[in-house]
Amino acid sequence: MVLRDLEENLSEGDIEAAVNSLKTMGFINYFGMQRFGTGGYSTHTIGLKVLKRDFEEANRMIITPAPLVQGLREPDEQRVRAREALFKFNDGSMDAATAINYLLPSMGIERTMLQTYAKQEKATDHDGAFHSLPRTVRLLYVHAVQSFLFNQMASLRMKDESTRLFAIRGDLVVQEDDIKKYSQVCLVFRCTGAASGVS
């Protein structure tokens, strides 16, 4: 493990205390930012629209390019044209068949959706356009909602310092001998003393 950006006046005692805290208290294993995408909208926000079956809005969000980040190198002319085409498709000023011509090879998801829209006289089959995406991509948006909810619930669960070390009603408790039986365990608390009777 590599630790970066440590404070200059950090002593060995501070480091030892932090390591001991990790040993005894553990840490919240959040889903990282990569789970929520780098597009114009986070994947869990799109996933909420999918769960509501609002495919028109979900598709608009998927097709919306990510904002340009200040300080990074300027996008090349081809990328600028691709972004403009996607914005124009979303606002109705460019049809799907025309917009496809400006897309970059890396824009596979957008291309698939626009190809479905291009087959229609008017781009109104939002359900069809969303379901033209591979199943793994469609599930990515729903799984992002699950990940977001996990992060929120984990934060809430760990907010009360007085119960961090003990299981409370609703926690999944696994004895160390039994942990191999589970392929995925989200929150595991050591089962000690009175806490072992919590159901």
Side-chain angles (χ1 to χ4, degrees):
M1 182 183 343
V2 177
L3 301 177
R4 292 186 176 89
D5 299 324
L6 297 175
E7 295 176 17
E8 287 183 31
N9 59 351
L10 205 59
S11 70
E12 279 190 40
D14 293 331
I15 294 170
E16 197 171 311
V19 169
N20 285 334
S21 174
L22 277 175
K23 284 180 183 175
T24 57
M25 299 284 286
F27 63 94
I28 303 174
N29 194 10
Y30 287 112
F31 286 97
M33 295 308 296
Q34 71 277 8
R35 180 62 62 110
F36 304 107
T38 57
Y41 291 87
S42 61
T43 52
H44 77 281
T45 306
I46 296 167
L48 289 170
K49 296 296 180 185
V50 170
L51 290 173
K52 293 178 181 178
R53 302 192 59 76
D54 184 355
F55 297 116
E56 180 176 6
E57 184 63 10
N59 294 355
R60 185 191 68 74
M61 295 164 92
I62 292 168
I63 291 171
T64 299
L68 295 174
V69 178
Q70 293 285 23
L72 294 181
R73 65 184 172 91
E74 288 298 310
D76 58 38
E77 192 175 323
Q78 191 179 4
R79 183 166 297 281
V80 169
R81 285 198 306 265
R83 290 172 54 78
E84 287 173 359
L86 291 172
F87 282 121
K88 286 181 178 180
F89 172 77
N90 267 345
D91 71 18
S93 62
M94 182 181 285
D95 63 52
T98 305
I100 289 170
N101 296 320
Y102 294 97
L103 297 185
L104 301 172
S106 61
M107 296 177 163
I109 291 173
E110 296 88 341
R111 183 179 306 282
T112 299
M113 295 179 84
L114 290 181
Q115 285 171 339
T116 303
Y117 279 128
K119 294 174 187 172
Q120 308 163 25
E121 190 174 322
K122 291 186 176 181
T124 55
D125 183 10
H126 307 296
D127 186 314
F130 180 76
H131 285 90
S132 69
L133 297 174
R135 183 174 187 272
T136 52
V137 173
R138 297 192 317 260
L139 285 175
L140 175 139
Y141 299 109
V142 176
H143 291 164
V145 174
Q146 293 171 322
S147 301
F148 176 78
L149 291 174
F150 171 84
N151 285 357
Q152 295 296 307
M153 294 308 296
S155 291
L156 284 172
R157 171 61 183 88
M158 300 308 286
K159 195 172 184 180
D160 183 1
E161 290 186 27
S162 64
T163 61
R164 280 187 188 177
L165 292 177
F166 304 101
I168 60 174
R169 186 176 300 278
D171 286 346
L172 172 64
V173 178
V174 180
Q175 298 284 347
E176 288 200 30
D177 296 341
D178 295 335
I179 205 157
K180 291 177 184 162
K181 294 178 188 175
Y182 298 91
S183 61
Q184 220 175 22
V185 178
C186 294
L187 285 175
V188 178
F189 294 88
R190 280 201 169 75
C191 208
T192 57
S196 61
V198 175
S199 59

